[in-house]
């Protein structure tokens, strides 16, 4: 674009032209806007104020609606501000409110302008500047302009006073000391009859009270009066909100206020006010049975109303009630469940939350069934919401509400199969978690896992991959509970597993390894000699199940004959040979491991087909030994290591962690690093006693296991302290008898003893293991209980604000150390001490009673003295207050002017002693 | 406290956006002809009250004011007379 033509420069485009041009879209929006911006930049530098202001206006528009930065115009805005014309001022102020922020450099220059306008006689100018101030005020501005605001708070013009009150909020926030100046007037405005002013003041107080209710407790009588007298719904709502915050702090206040609130509830026709009353009651007055009942009745009306807005609000209120009075929710159960199928998604979610709130040990099964049915019928989003909430509720507090884990585990399996399910990760976590923690459910877990693994269709569903990986791990780890390991092997090695991502394939391979070892062990080494599976057991039929009681109940397996072993080995080779060249390191490594192992024992195993099982000489000592070793390695449970264990390890002397590892080459080149799979071998500690390590045997024979196991053992020796004891992960409270699976006939025999065992276990406190397993796909079992530390930063400012407010309301004092501090979060400010509220209250009352200002200056108050004093005053108060609640509350305020803070103080919220104004 | 007021048309193109802060908690909107008036506010406001605000106060105060400015205000007027709309919104909100 060439420079502006003469035509262009003669006639400045107005905002209308700009908008028209924009809408016409002749040259495209961006191009038009950049052209316009260019023009604006030129125009805004002109000396003519009208041109400037039009340019500014256009800039505002562009900035507001099209998000352009207008900070370059800051100074120009100021120039326009100095114009005498009102329209210019308006535009300038508008621009300023939009674009100025704390770091605008010219902010300092605006003070004088504002001051001039604030003191102007034209009320509109005053209001403009007030409006602007409320948007951009920072500490300096607030501080400098406080006197002007103070004057305006008592201005005659309603228009101005309203805005001044509104500004006060921002000024207080930025510059708390202004409270000392302005608060009195603000409170005076509470008594103003004009509804606009009143609503402004009440609005300000409701904002202030939300942040720090305690400071405003003394004003409760005024609020009470407003509540009772008010005609305006808006004001009543605000006052109710204030009371909602105040009431929990002061039970006597609550007592007084409950009645009027209930009255309001009964009488009002406005739904908004009604809802606010209901909300206030259920939030802060939940101890008052009759009030709650009344509120609940009203909630029911909301719930059955046609208007979805009201339904939603009803559900919302119900969920607030639910936290304290669960019976309410059960009463309205049908409505809640019906709302689950409401077209409005917000309503659905609220009702889901309510249903979850109703869940307890007894009904968790039915509710889950109902919910899963709903999930099947719903859209994906809601379906996942449902599943997510079921999962999180059931897993809360280490599965506190689950009594029947077998059912829960099968539910998890079922959930995985729901078409829209995207909660794969959570299900995976829980499957593994439960497997680790709940020993008795492992058979069921393995069954569920088997079902998942066998189904080839599931392999194609990418959402389910995580679940499948959990299933694979579970079946590998607890293979001894499986009924048909051969089937498992086939499932793990099926060709469709190539659809899985490499990390999960690696898990599959490793699990296949474990299952293989188990089969080999059962067939060759055990030779059917243990666990009631005799030598001939391997030829027994599948249906004959014998269960071992006591430690490690095993399920009888499908016959594991020598032929089946041979077939198995062939299958392994077939399935894994293509993976030997896989690009993924993990997969390749594990495949090689497994095939290597197979190679080692293949010869003997094949040779021994058809031979007697106990013929160890024929089988070759080597193979048996290997099998035995590997099996033992796999069968020891590795306990999780705590996340913080690494942090607890003291850095050994002479080790500099940040050193460049370049030297490692020279040091380590001659050490042969063991292959990765051997890291899964390990020895759990029996206790934290380090000396027990020397008792653990370190197997020398197997070349595979030697190095890593010794390394690991070494490590444990040194840092055994940080390994959690082994028995832990098995401890969980299960109050249930073993699953009465009709196929597992044997279980029934031992219900009694199992029950006893279980009850005993249930009395032991639950363990919370938290660590990841030594596997590539790390499943975090962390109960990372990082409760978000409530950030208390905003309180620092509020504190000074509340400090200032308290000074005004209670009488300011010197810094006092106190003996009794209530344990509230912001009570640990360094450096400054806080005043004792009791002293303040006392001093206030003292002012009334004996005008003794010296009593205010006391520094060392013993607690007992205060209490006596307080009681005395309270009694006196009681008598005088009965009739003249109003006037007595006025007394302290009249004396407020006598109270001046010595220095800015930070006042802590103490256990409050509220003057008994209301009694 | 009301955090934001937005006015947008059916394509989501914003006609007016006054954000008082960028924090959103709850949102109430109401459909008037082709315009949606959206109010964003925090927990210190009652939702129904804000809805009332939009339903009753807004038409009566705000729209009336605009009517006075423009005689029978329609969307285009809001589009074209941005500054007046903003100032009347500010006055109405007090």
């Amino acid at each position: 674009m060439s420079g502006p033509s003469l035509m262009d420069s003669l006639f400045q485009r107005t905002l209308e032209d700009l908008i028209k041009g924009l809408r016409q879209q002749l040259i495209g929006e961006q191009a038009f806007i950049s052209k316009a911006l260019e023009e604006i930049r030129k125009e805004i530098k002109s000396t003519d104020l009208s041109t400037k202001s039009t340019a500014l206006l256009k800039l505002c528009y562009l900035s507001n609606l099209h998000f352009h930065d207008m900070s370059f115009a800051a100074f120009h805005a100021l120039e326009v501000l100095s114009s005498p014309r009102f329209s210019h001022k308006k535009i300038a102020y508008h621009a300023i409110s939009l674009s100025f922020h704390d770091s605008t450099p010219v902010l300092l220059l605006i003070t004088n302008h504002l001051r001039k306008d604030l003191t102007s006689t034209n009320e509109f100018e005053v209001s403009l500047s007030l409006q602007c101030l409320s948007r951009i005020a920072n500490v300096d501005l607030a501080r400098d302009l406080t006197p002007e605001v103070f004057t305006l708070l008592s201005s005659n013009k309603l228009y101005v006073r309203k805005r001044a009150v509104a500004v006060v909020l921002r000024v207080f926030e930025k510059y708390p000391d202004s409270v000392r100046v302005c608060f009195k007037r603000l409170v005076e405005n509470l008594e103003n009859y004009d509804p606009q002013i009143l609503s402004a003041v009440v609005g300000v107080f409701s904002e202030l009270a939300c942040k720090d209710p305690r400071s405003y407790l003394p004003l409760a009588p005024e609020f009470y009066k407003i509540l009772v007298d008010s005609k305006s719904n808006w004001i009543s709502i605000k006052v109710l909100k204030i009371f909602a915050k105040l009431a929990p702090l002061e039970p006597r206040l609550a007592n007084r206020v409950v009645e009027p609130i209930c009255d309001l509830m009964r009488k009002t026709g406005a739904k908004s006010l009604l809802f606010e009353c209901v909300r206030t009651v259920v939030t802060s007055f939940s101890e008052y049975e009759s009030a709650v009942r009344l509120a609940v009745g009203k909630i029911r009306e909301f719930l059955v109303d046609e208007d979805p807005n009201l339904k939603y609000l009803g559900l919302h209120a119900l969920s607030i009630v639910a936290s304290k009075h669960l019976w309410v929710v059960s009463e309205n159960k049908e409505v809640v469940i019906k709302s689950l199928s409401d077209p409005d998604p917000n309503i659905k979610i609220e009702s889901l939350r309510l249903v979850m709130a109703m869940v307890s040990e007894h009904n968790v099964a039915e509710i889950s069934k109902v919910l899963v049915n709903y999930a099947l019928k719903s859209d994906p989003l809601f379906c996942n919401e449902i599943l997510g909430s079921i999962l999180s509720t059931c897993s809360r507090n280490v599965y506190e509400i689950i009594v029947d884990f077998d059912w829960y585990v099968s539910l998890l399996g079922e959930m995985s199969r729901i078409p829209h399910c995207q909660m794969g990760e959570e299900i995976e976590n829980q499957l593994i978690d439960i497997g680790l923690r709940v020993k008795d459910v492992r058979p069921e877990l393995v069954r569920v896992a088997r079902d998942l693994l066998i189904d080839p269709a599931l392999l194609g569903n990418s959402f389910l991959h995580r679940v499948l990986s959990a299933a694979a791990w579970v079946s590998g780890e607890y293979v001894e509970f499986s009924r048909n390991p051969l089937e498992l092997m086939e499932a793990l090695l099926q060709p469709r597993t190539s659809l899985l991502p490499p990390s999960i394939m690696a898990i599959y391979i490793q699990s296949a390894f474990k299952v293989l070892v188990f089969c080999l062990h059962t067939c060759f080494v055990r030779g059917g000699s243990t666990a009631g599976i005799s030598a001939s057991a391997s030829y027994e039929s599948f249906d004959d199940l014998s269960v071992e009681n006591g430690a490690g109940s095993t399920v009888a397996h499908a016959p594991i004959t020598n032929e089946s072993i041979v077939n198995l080995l062939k299958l392994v080779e077939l399935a894994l040979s293509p993976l030997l060249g896989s690009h993924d390191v993990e997969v390749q490594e594990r495949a090689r491991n497994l095939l290597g192992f197979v190679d080692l024992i293949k010869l003997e195993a094949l040779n021994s087909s058809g031979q007697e099982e106990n013929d160890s000489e024929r089988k070759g000592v080597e193979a048996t030994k290997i099998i035995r070793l590997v099996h033992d390695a796999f069968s020891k449970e590795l306990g999780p290591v705590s996340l913080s264990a690494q942090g607890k390890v003291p850095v050994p002397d002479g080790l500099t962690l940040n050193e460049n590892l370049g030297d490692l080459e020279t040091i380590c080149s001659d050490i042969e690093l063991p292959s990765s799979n051997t890291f899964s071998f390990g020895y759990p500690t029996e206790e934290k006693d380090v000396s027990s390590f020397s008792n653990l045997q370190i197997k020398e024979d197997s070349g595979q296991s030697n190095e890593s196991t010794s390394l690991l053992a070494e490590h444990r020796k040194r840092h055994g302290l940080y390994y959690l004891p082994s028995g832990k992960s098995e401890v969980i409270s299960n109050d249930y008898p073993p699953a009465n699976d009709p196929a597992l006939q044997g279980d029934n025999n031992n219900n009694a003893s199992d029950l006893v065992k279980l009850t005993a276990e249930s009395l032991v406190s639950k363990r919370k293991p938290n660590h990841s397993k030594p596997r590539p796909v790390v499943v975090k079992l962390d109960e990372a209980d990082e409760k978000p530390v409530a950030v208390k930063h905003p309180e620092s400012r509020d504190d000074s604000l509340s400090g200032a407010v308290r000074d005004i309301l209670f009488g300011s004092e010197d810094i006092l150390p106190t003996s009794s501090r209530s344990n509230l979060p912001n009570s640990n400010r360094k450096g400054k001490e806080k005043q004792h509220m009791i002293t303040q209250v006392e001093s206030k009352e003292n002012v009334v009673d004996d005008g003794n200002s010296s009593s205010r200056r006391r520094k060392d108050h013993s607690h007992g003295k205060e209490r006596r004093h307080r009681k005395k005053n309270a009694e006196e108060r009681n008598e005088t207050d009965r009739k003249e609640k109003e006037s007595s509350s006025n007394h302290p305020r009249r004396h407020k002017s006598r109270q001046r803070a010595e220095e800015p103080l930070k006042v802590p919220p103490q256990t409050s002693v509220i003057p008994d104004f209301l009694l | 406290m009301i955090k934001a007021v937005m006015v947008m048309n059916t394509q989501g193109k914003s006609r007016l956006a006054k954000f008082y802060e960028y924090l959103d908690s709850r949102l109430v909107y109401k459909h008037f002809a082709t315009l949606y008036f959206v109010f964003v506010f925090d927990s210190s406001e009652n939702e129904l009250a804000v809805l009332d605000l939009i339903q009753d106060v807004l038409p009566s105060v705000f729209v009336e004011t605009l009517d006075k400015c423009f005689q029978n205000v329609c969307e285009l007027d809001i589009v074209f007379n941005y500054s007046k709309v903003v100032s009347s919104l500010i006055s109405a909100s007090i």
Side-chain angles (χ1 to χ4, degrees):
Chain A
M1 289 277 157
S2 56
S5 67
L6 189 59
M7 207 46 166
D8 283 345
S9 57
L10 276 181
F11 300 103
Q12 184 191 27
R13 272 193 243 247
T14 63
L15 180 61
E16 277 203 22
D17 301 330
L18 179 68
I19 298 178
K20 273 202 202 107
L22 203 52
R23 280 168 68 91
Q24 274 182 331
Q25 295 277 333
L26 281 178
I27 56 173
E29 193 167 302
Q30 277 308 318
F32 187 84
I33 290 184
S34 28
K35 181 156 166 283
L37 273 175
E38 265 181 51
E39 281 179 9
I40 289 174
R41 278 178 201 264
K42 281 194 209 84
E43 288 164 3
I44 210 165
K45 293 187 195 135
S46 108
T47 46
D48 172 33
L49 284 178
S50 298
T51 322
K52 258 181 141 70
S53 62
T54 317
L56 205 53
L57 184 62
K58 286 193 284 185
L59 191 55
C60 285
Y61 175 80
L62 283 179
S63 153
N64 211 6
L65 291 180
H66 298 274
F67 308 110
H68 282 276
D69 178 43
M70 60 183 279
S71 44
F72 67 88
F75 190 70
H76 301 289
L78 278 181
E79 288 179 339
V80 178
L81 192 53
S82 49
S83 153
R85 278 182 62 181
F86 183 72
S87 54
H88 291 174
K89 274 202 201 279
K90 201 162 76 150
I91 294 175
Y93 271 122
H94 183 213
I96 291 175
S97 345
L98 274 181
S99 62
F100 275 36
H101 47 78
D102 277 354
S103 55
T104 307
V106 293
L107 196 53
L108 312 160
L109 301 174
I110 206 180
T111 319
N112 275 328
H113 279 118
L114 279 174
R115 187 172 287 137
K116 204 169 59 135
D117 284 326
L118 279 175
T119 46
S120 138
T121 44
N122 181 339
E123 61 193 25
F124 299 104
E125 276 179 17
V126 175
S127 65
L128 272 183
S129 46
L130 279 174
Q131 270 155 217
C132 176
L133 185 61
S134 72
R135 297 290 303 277
I136 62 164
N138 67 352
V139 184
D140 299 315
L141 275 176
R143 187 183 51 225
D144 296 334
L145 296 172
T146 303
E148 281 76 21
V149 174
F150 174 70
T151 325
L152 291 171
L153 272 175
S154 46
S155 148
N156 297 328
K157 306 194 179 112
L158 204 64
Y159 195 74
V160 168
R161 205 196 261 209
K162 245 190 336 185
R163 285 165 171 72
V165 168
V167 154
V168 154
L169 180 62
R170 171 104 185 186
V171 168
F172 276 13
E173 198 194 321
K174 293 284 176 187
Y175 179 62
D177 281 342
S178 58
V179 169
R180 298 169 207 287
V181 176
C182 300
F183 199 77
K184 192 165 75 103
R185 292 240 172 129
L186 187 65
V187 174
E188 277 170 11
N189 276 318
L190 264 181
E191 294 170 359
N192 195 311
Y193 290 113
D194 184 288
Q196 295 182 41
I197 303 256
L198 202 52
S199 65
V201 179
V202 171
V204 169
F205 273 114
S206 80
E207 285 293 320
L208 290 173
C210 280
K211 294 200 197 102
D212 176 29
R214 208 161 269 277
S215 324
Y216 305 96
L217 266 173
L219 294 171
E222 279 81 32
F223 295 135
Y224 182 82
K225 190 168 78 100
I226 297 176
L227 178 67
V228 173
D229 294 340
S230 161
K231 307 279 181 304
S232 150
N233 286 342
W234 190 262
I235 296 182
S236 308
I237 289 178
K238 292 270 175 185
V239 172
L240 279 173
K241 285 208 188 268
I242 297 181
F243 275 120
K245 289 277 181 325
L246 292 182
L249 302 172
E250 181 58 49
R252 291 170 301 176
L253 176 65
N255 258 325
R256 281 297 299 247
V257 176
V258 164
E259 270 317 301
I261 294 185
C262 290
D263 273 339
L264 263 180
M265 256 200 282
R266 289 186 206 107
K267 285 190 280 188
T268 185
K271 285 266 187 304
S272 52
L273 185 54
L274 178 59
F275 180 67
E276 194 57 42
C277 292
V278 166
R279 187 168 32 198
T280 312
V281 166
V282 302
T283 330
S284 324
F285 292 92
S286 43
E287 304 88 47
Y288 297 85
E289 277 295 324
S290 54
V292 172
R293 257 179 224 289
L294 185 57
V296 168
K298 299 289 179 189
I299 293 182
R300 198 167 294 134
E301 283 173 32
F302 271 51
L303 282 175
V304 300
D305 197 301
E306 286 298 316
D307 182 357
N309 283 332
L310 293 179
K311 258 198 243 176
Y312 173 74
L313 286 176
L315 285 172
H316 187 65
L318 208 58
S319 58
I320 303 180
V321 181
S323 50
K324 301 203 189 102
H325 301 268
L326 216 46
W327 53 269
V328 175
V329 185
S330 344
E331 267 181 24
N332 293 306
K333 210 166 31 174
E334 303 81 36
V335 184
V336 173
I337 297 198
K338 202 165 73 118
S339 327
L340 269 180
S341 46
D342 196 286
D344 183 317
N346 278 329
I347 293 186
K348 279 203 277 198
I349 295 185
E350 276 298 320
S351 45
L352 178 63
R353 268 195 222 124
L354 276 172
V355 170
M356 290 280 90
M358 288 198 281
V359 163
S360 75
E361 275 184 12
H362 316 286
N363 55 19
V364 66
E366 341 159 359
I367 291 193
S368 311
K369 193 153 66 170
V370 169
L371 285 179
V372 168
N373 278 335
Y374 266 105
L376 284 168
K377 289 185 266 174
S378 340
D379 58 294
L381 197 59
F382 191 52
C383 169
N384 282 308
E385 275 283 338
I386 293 183
L387 294 180
S389 52
I390 296 181
L391 285 170
S392 58
T393 316
C394 290
S395 65
R396 212 185 306 149
N397 262 336
V398 204
Y399 310 100
E400 164 177 69
I401 58 171
I402 308 253
V403 169
D404 182 359
F405 274 86
D406 283 348
W407 158 80
Y408 185 59
V409 163
S410 57
L411 179 69
L412 286 177
E414 215 182 292
M415 284 204 278
S416 330
R417 287 168 194 275
I418 292 180
H420 298 300
C421 170
Q422 289 169 10
M423 301 265 106
E425 200 166 316
E426 181 59 26
I427 297 182
E428 172 201 13
N429 284 345
Q430 292 200 6
L431 281 173
I432 298 189
D433 204 37
I434 295 181
L436 269 188
R437 295 176 194 255
V438 188
K439 213 160 72 145
D440 296 297
V441 82
R442 284 173 190 172
E444 182 62 22
L445 200 53
V446 171
R447 190 192 67 76
V448 168
R450 168 205 166 265
D451 287 339
L452 286 171
L453 288 172
I454 285 193
D455 188 348
L458 295 182
L459 284 165
N461 183 347
S462 59
F463 288 127
L464 285 187
H465 284 167
R466 301 235 54 111
V467 179
L468 289 175
S469 91
W473 181 80
V474 157
S475 17
E477 187 77 359
Y478 307 121
V479 63
E480 62 266 24
F481 299 112
S482 139
R483 270 182 250 162
N484 191 349
L486 297 173
E487 185 186 46
L488 262 181
M489 275 300 273
E490 282 165 27
L492 285 170
L493 295 173
Q494 62 183 295
R496 259 176 83 97
T497 53
S498 52
L499 289 173
L500 291 170
S503 51
I504 301 188
M505 270 208 341
I507 300 187
Y508 266 57
I509 299 176
Q510 189 69 352
S511 295
F513 196 163
K514 294 181 188 171
V515 176
L516 178 64
V517 166
F518 177 78
C519 296
L520 285 170
H521 190 258
T522 324
C523 180
F524 294 132
V525 178
R526 269 220 235 147
S529 57
T530 58
I533 300 179
S534 62
S536 51
S538 47
Y539 298 99
E540 276 172 30
S541 72
F542 180 40
D543 296 327
D544 185 8
L545 305 167
S546 56
V547 179
E548 187 190 48
N549 312 322
S553 62
T554 56
V555 180
H557 315 276
I560 302 183
T561 61
N562 290 340
E563 287 114 60
S564 53
I565 293 289
V566 169
N567 287 334
L568 211 51
L569 292 178
K570 283 212 189 87
L571 177 63
V572 167
E573 282 182 340
L574 197 60
L576 291 187
S577 320
L579 293 176
L580 285 179
S582 154
H583 288 299
D584 185 78
V585 173
E586 193 75 43
V587 170
Q588 195 190 113
E589 181 129 20
R590 293 186 188 264
R592 279 184 190 276
N593 285 337
L594 184 44
L595 281 179
F597 176 74
V598 164
D599 278 337
L600 272 180
I601 53 163
K602 194 163 51 172
L603 291 174
E604 286 83 3
L606 289 178
N607 286 343
S608 63
S609 50
Q611 304 222 352
E612 286 294 305
E613 56 293 323
N614 279 333
D615 227 350
S616 49
E617 302 89 23
R618 297 259 208 101
K619 287 202 178 117
V621 184
E622 224 30 57
T624 330
K625 258 206 240 171
I626 293 176
I627 296 174
R628 219 196 287 266
L629 284 171
V630 179
H631 180 261
D632 278 345
F634 273 143
S635 60
K636 292 263 200 309
E637 265 192 51
L638 263 191
V641 175
S642 152
L643 249 196
S644 51
Q646 178 66 56
K648 290 189 202 147
V649 174
V651 180
D653 297 335
L655 174 67
T656 327
L657 284 176
N658 299 326
E659 230 171 60
N660 191 323
L661 287 178
D663 294 342
L664 208 59
E665 277 294 289
T666 48
I667 302 172
C668 298
S669 57
D670 50 349
I671 293 182
E672 202 183 287
L673 291 174
S675 45
S676 67
N677 79 322
T678 55
F679 279 114
S680 55
F681 292 18
Y683 298 90
T685 54
E686 303 306 325
E687 306 123 349
K688 289 184 184 171
D689 188 357
V690 175
S691 62
S692 66
F693 283 132
S694 44
N695 301 332
L696 296 174
Q697 18 169 344
I698 298 181
K699 308 220 155 119
E700 306 288 354
D701 313 58
S702 162
Q704 284 175 317
S705 49
N706 198 10
E707 214 126 7
S708 63
T709 48
S710 57
L711 280 176
L712 201 51
E714 271 277 284
H715 190 260
R716 277 188 188 269
K717 223 187 289 188
R718 280 200 305 267
H719 304 290
L721 190 58
Y722 306 113
Y723 282 83
L724 301 173
S726 67
K728 59 197 164 340
S729 50
E730 297 141 8
V731 176
I732 187 110
S733 83
N734 291 323
D735 294 322
Y736 67 104
N740 281 327
D741 193 338
L744 293 175
Q745 295 304 330
D747 277 344
N748 292 330
N749 304 336
N750 306 297
N751 275 353
S753 55
D754 279 334
L755 256 179
V756 169
K757 195 170 46 136
L758 287 167
T759 346
E761 273 185 2
S762 73
L763 293 177
V764 180
S765 60
K766 285 186 211 153
R767 221 357 132 115
K768 297 190 200 294
N770 38 15
H771 171 255
S772 51
K773 331 198 91 0
R775 295 194 133 301
V777 177
V778 170
V779 173
K780 286 211 162 202
L781 289 179
D782 239 274
E783 266 145 22
D785 266 349
E786 284 153 42
K787 293 202 191 112
V789 175
V791 173
K792 294 293 171 191
H793 299 309
E795 297 223 5
S796 55
R797 212 172 39 189
D798 291 343
D799 234 28
S800 51
L801 177 57
S802 21
V805 171
R806 269 177 245 251
D807 290 345
I808 301 295
L809 287 178
F810 296 125
S812 67
E813 280 310 70
D814 306 304
I815 296 174
L816 283 179
T818 75
S819 47
S820 61
R821 288 196 189 190
S822 59
N823 189 18
L824 285 161
N826 48 8
S827 59
N828 45 347
R829 302 264 149 226
K830 293 192 188 154
K832 295 196 184 171
E833 299 278 56
K834 306 190 185 182
Q835 266 185 327
H836 205 298
M837 242 194 171
I838 297 181
T839 322
Q840 293 162 347
V841 169
E842 249 192 310
S843 59
K844 190 167 163 191
E845 295 175 333
N846 282 341
V847 165
V848 180
D849 292 341
D850 45 31
N852 183 11
S853 52
S854 63
S855 66
R856 282 186 264 145
R857 309 242 178 263
R858 270 176 294 188
K859 283 203 183 190
D860 318 299
H861 251 120
S862 73
H863 201 48
K865 227 169 149 193
E866 289 159 348
R867 210 174 279 150
R868 268 183 281 129
H869 228 275
R870 199 189 334 142
K871 272 209 207 119
K872 185 173 79 138
N873 283 337
E875 280 159 20
E876 288 175 23
R877 272 266 153 263
N878 268 335
E879 285 150 28
T880 53
D881 268 351
R882 211 52 63 76
K883 294 175 202 160
E884 298 158 356
K885 181 176 61 150
E886 269 299 292
S887 49
S888 63
S889 67
N890 275 335
H891 286 176
R893 248 186 289 122
R894 255 186 257 141
H895 294 281
K896 261 184 216 159
S897 47
R898 279 206 247 142
Q899 303 166 4
R900 284 271 174 264
E902 248 80 275
E903 62 238 298
L905 296 169
K906 286 196 182 160
V907 182
Q910 295 294 333
T911 47
S912 73
V913 175
I914 294 305
D916 300 340
F917 287 134
L918 299 183
L919 294 183
Chain B
M1 193 150 80
I2 297 182
K3 300 285 178 183
V5 175
M6 293 190 278
V7 177
M8 43 179 89
N9 75 352
T10 45
Q11 275 104 41
K13 213 159 144 54
S14 61
R15 297 292 182 210
L16 170 66
K18 279 210 89 59
F19 281 93
Y20 296 104
E21 256 174 53
Y22 285 84
L23 191 72
D24 57 333
S25 334
R26 291 189 158 225
L27 187 148
V28 169
Y29 72 93
K30 183 98 179 123
H31 187 133
F32 282 115
T34 60
L35 285 184
Y36 288 85
F37 287 84
V38 180
F39 279 68
V40 177
F41 51 90
D42 61 9
S43 62
S44 75
E45 294 286 343
N46 178 309
E47 297 82 356
L48 282 175
V50 177
L51 193 57
D52 279 346
L53 177 73
I54 302 185
Q55 276 172 323
D56 307 325
V57 175
L58 196 77
S60 61
V61 176
F62 189 46
V63 179
E64 248 182 54
T65 322
L66 290 179
D67 269 343
K68 291 205 187 87
C69 290
F70 310 118
Q71 288 90 38
N72 267 336
V73 63
C74 66
E75 185 186 343
L76 284 180
D77 288 319
I78 301 187
V79 170
F80 278 114
N81 293 284
Y82 168 71
S83 52
K84 295 199 188 137
V85 170
V86 166
S87 44
S88 50
L89 178 67
I90 294 182
S91 334
S93 66
I94 296 292

